[in-house]
Amino acid sequence: QVQLVESGGGTVQAGGSLRLSCVVSGRPFSEYAMGWFRQAPGKERERVASISRFSDRTWYADSVKGRFTISRDNAKNTVYLQMNSLKPEDTAVYSCAFGTSSIGTFGPWGQGTQVTVST
C-alpha cells in the first residue's frame, strides 16, 4: 500500500520559515522523482518544487525560487521542503507526490499539511 505522509505545516508570520517533511512507503523511494505541490482555497493544485531520484536535478516554480529548497534523503524515504521568507500568498495545503522525473508527471498525492502565513 502506497503511503505519503506530510508533516511540518503550521501557522507562521510573514517572513518566517517552515520545513515540511514527507515520509513515503509502499514504493522503492529512490526509483522515483518527488514533487511538492500546493492548493489554496478556490485554486487549482500547482507544483512548487520537484527533485530527481538522486538529487542531481531540481525544479522550482517562479513564485518560490530563491525562497524554497527541496531535498531528499533516500535512506530515510523522506523528501523535504524548506520554506523561507514566507508570504501570505504561500498559504495553502502542501502535499507531496511521486514523479516519473523531476519535470514529468506526478501522483498519487498525500493528504497534505496546512501552511498558513499571517500578515
Side-chain angles (χ1 to χ4, degrees), residues 24-117:
V24 167
S25 61
R27 282 190 183 179
F29 183 68
S30 63
E31 293 186 11
Y32 292 88
M34 294 297 298
W36 279 100
F37 292 74
R38 68 185 180 188
Q39 187 166 20
K43 295 188 177 181
E44 292 187 356
R45 181 166 50 203
E46 63 170 345
R47 179 163 52 113
V48 296
S50 51
I51 188 167
S52 59
R53 293 168 57 192
F54 299 109
S55 305
D56 53 313
R57 289 182 298 278
T58 57
W59 176 94
Y60 296 94
D62 287 344
S63 58
V64 307
K65 279 181 182 176
R67 300 188 298 122
F68 290 11
T69 303
I70 189 171
S71 62
R72 65 189 292 165
D73 185 337
N74 287 351
K76 295 182 179 180
N77 287 3
T78 303
V79 60
Y80 305 97
L81 186 68
Q82 177 67 44
M83 306 186 295
N84 298 330
S85 302
L86 283 161
K87 304 175 181 180
E89 51 263 43
D90 294 320
T91 295
V93 175
Y94 285 72
S95 56
C96 60
F98 290 101
T100 56
S101 75
S102 61
I103 54 171
T105 56
F106 289 83
W109 289 267
Q111 291 289 329
T113 184
Q114 176 70 47
V115 171
T116 302
V117 184

